[in-house]
Amino acid sequence: MSGDSDCTRTSPSAGSLSDNEFLPDRPKYVCSLSPDLITKAREELQEKPEWRLRDVQALRDMVCKDYPSLGTCLDDAFLLRFLRARKFDYDRALQLLVNYHTCRRSWPEVFNNLKPSAIKPVLESGFVTVLPCLDPEGRHIVCIRPDRWTPSNYPITENIRAIYLTLEKLIQSEETQVNGIVILADYKGVSLSKASHFGPFVAKKVIGILQDGFPIRIKAVNIINEPRIFKGIFAIIKPFLKEKIANRFFLHGCDLNSLHQNIPPVILPEEYGGTSGKLDISAWNELLLASEEDFLHDFSQLVLPCDSSPQDMLRTVSSSDQVIRLLSGYNSKY
């Protein structure tokens, strides 16, 4: 999950901007943000339009100097995602980019053959979708429904693959890069046996990706219909979440009025006390499946060399191992 702390940046060299002119095969960046979002990006993300391409070039130079074998895409638009996610702090943006690749390399069950057609059964189940309407802040609502998953059909990693591809699709939008997203997770009907699939190993990986390995701003996580055991597990995990991230979790239980204080009913489906009609997963599924070729092209640029050393690429957060130990102890009691 991307951090939002304030940062200080230094001015890039005066000659950086011209370096882009000698890369004719690289797509030229064209800003698609509205004037209002340009202002928002300046105020919240420290993004200065007049410095934007110089900032991107500065990050590109750091990648080429410090991680020449990273095997990353170096297009303006791609690198800009990481700068925005870390408020244009060059060092933190670089570390996020390195973490992004390390996460992908270290979990082959999730990232091998990652494409929409490969997770079609998950999409058809309705486990994850994106609501058609934006919230008042211009943010997409990602709806996750674990009760739609039948463990005997496929492993939990397939669900994570579907969530990851959903985030990858959303972050292609500059509006989402600036506004962030909101998550709505409905745990209705989730049994203890199903919850046990989200064990220590999976928990560590998911926390690592969302906090430090993906360039997206998750502005709120709304949990509804959570079982009693969820509160116990969350109490263990919470100390190892960054404070700002932990404060963005809202546990509503079965109280839809509480949910509506965070997400207005006008954009929610009837299933959650909203007025926007029945929850329809078909539109998002069609959009994601239609993006197959785009993903194949984008991911083809993200292959890490076989001789790259993970130790050289990732500064692991020490609390991750503590999460595993505590969750292992917690699960053993049940």
Side-chain angles (χ1 to χ4, degrees):
M1 194 178 289
S2 300
D4 292 334
S5 61
D6 292 332
C7 62
T8 301
R9 63 177 180 179
T10 58
S11 174
S13 62
S16 296
L17 184 59
S18 62
D19 294 343
N20 213 34
E21 299 173 2
F22 300 99
L23 299 168
D25 295 332
R26 182 168 293 134
K28 185 174 178 62
Y29 170 76
V30 178
C31 181
S32 63
L33 296 176
S34 68
D36 286 345
L37 283 180
I38 289 175
T39 299
K40 183 176 183 178
R42 181 188 291 272
E43 294 175 350
E44 295 186 10
L45 307 182
Q46 324 306 325
E47 177 176 344
K48 298 181 180 180
E50 64 272 22
W51 279 20
R52 189 186 288 124
L53 291 183
R54 292 193 298 171
D55 291 337
V56 169
Q57 185 60 45
L59 178 57
R60 185 182 293 119
D61 291 343
M62 293 172 71
V63 173
C64 294
K65 177 183 177 182
D66 298 337
Y67 299 95
S69 62
L70 185 59
T72 186
C73 174
L74 292 174
D75 291 350
D76 294 345
F78 181 77
L79 294 179
L80 191 55
R81 300 176 188 178
F82 295 86
L83 285 165
R84 284 173 171 154
R86 291 295 182 259
K87 292 192 173 181
F88 283 77
D89 180 318
Y90 298 162
D91 291 329
R92 295 176 66 235
L94 176 63
Q95 191 59 52
L96 178 61
L97 177 62
V98 171
N99 292 353
Y100 172 85
H101 283 282
T102 304
C103 289
R104 293 177 61 88
R105 187 184 186 207
S106 65
W107 204 359
E109 296 88 349
V110 169
F111 294 104
N112 284 352
N113 192 37
L114 185 61
K115 56 185 179 180
S117 62
I119 48 95
K120 190 175 181 179
V122 183
L123 297 178
E124 292 176 342
S125 75
F127 174 86
V128 60
T129 192
V130 177
L131 301 187
C133 299
L134 302 175
D135 76 357
E137 301 296 323
R139 304 174 299 204
H140 283 287
I141 310 294
V142 178
C143 182
I144 300 173
R145 298 183 292 169
D147 70 305
R148 310 295 293 182
W149 171 49
T150 302
S152 59
N153 290 346
Y154 45 79
I156 191 172
T157 48
E158 292 300 295
N159 296 327
I160 297 169
R161 283 156 61 84
I163 293 173
Y164 194 91
L165 279 178
T166 294
L167 297 182
E168 283 280 6
K169 182 61 181 177
L170 290 174
I171 204 59
Q172 291 174 0
S173 163
E174 289 198 280
E175 289 77 7
T176 297
Q177 293 170 26
V178 174
N179 291 327
I181 65 168
V182 171
I183 292 177
L184 170 60
D186 179 4
Y187 280 84
K188 180 180 180 180
V190 176
S191 63
L192 177 59
S193 61
K194 183 176 289 189
S196 68
H197 289 269
F198 190 74
F201 176 82
V202 174
K204 175 188 175 182
K205 291 289 190 180
V206 172
I207 290 173
I209 291 173
L210 294 182
Q211 283 203 140
D212 301 302
F214 196 86
I216 200 164
R217 306 174 71 208
I218 299 179
K219 305 299 292 182
V221 180
N222 293 277
I223 310 293
I224 62 171
N225 299 318
E226 67 274 14
R228 187 172 302 175
I229 188 176
F230 182 89
K231 294 183 179 180
I233 294 175
F234 183 71
I236 293 176
I237 295 176
K238 186 175 180 179
F240 304 100
L241 296 173
K242 295 176 181 177
E243 181 179 1
K244 184 171 287 188
I245 296 171
N247 291 338
R248 291 176 179 174
F249 276 75
F250 302 93
L251 307 184
H252 301 287
C254 299
D255 188 352
L256 291 180
N257 289 327
S258 175
L259 173 65
H260 296 165
Q261 292 178 19
N262 287 24
I263 305 177
V266 68
I267 66 172
L268 285 171
E270 295 176 6
E271 289 84 344
Y272 304 119
T275 59
S276 66
K278 294 287 186 180
L279 179 59
D280 180 15
I281 66 173
S282 60
W284 178 254
N285 288 356
E286 291 172 5
L287 177 63
L288 201 58
L289 290 168
S291 304
E292 181 98 358
E293 293 301 319
D294 292 339
F295 279 118
L296 292 176
H297 173 267
D298 293 346
F299 290 167
S300 69
Q301 304 182 63
L302 304 179
V303 178
L304 292 177
C306 295
D307 59 352
S308 296
S309 170
Q311 288 76 15
D312 295 335
M313 297 180 59
L314 180 64
R315 303 185 189 109
T316 303
V317 179
S318 60
S319 62
S320 296
D321 293 331
Q322 298 178 52
V323 171
I324 284 187
R325 289 194 294 271
L326 284 171
L327 281 176
S328 297
Y330 185 86
N331 289 341
S332 67
K333 297 177 182 178
Y334 295 88

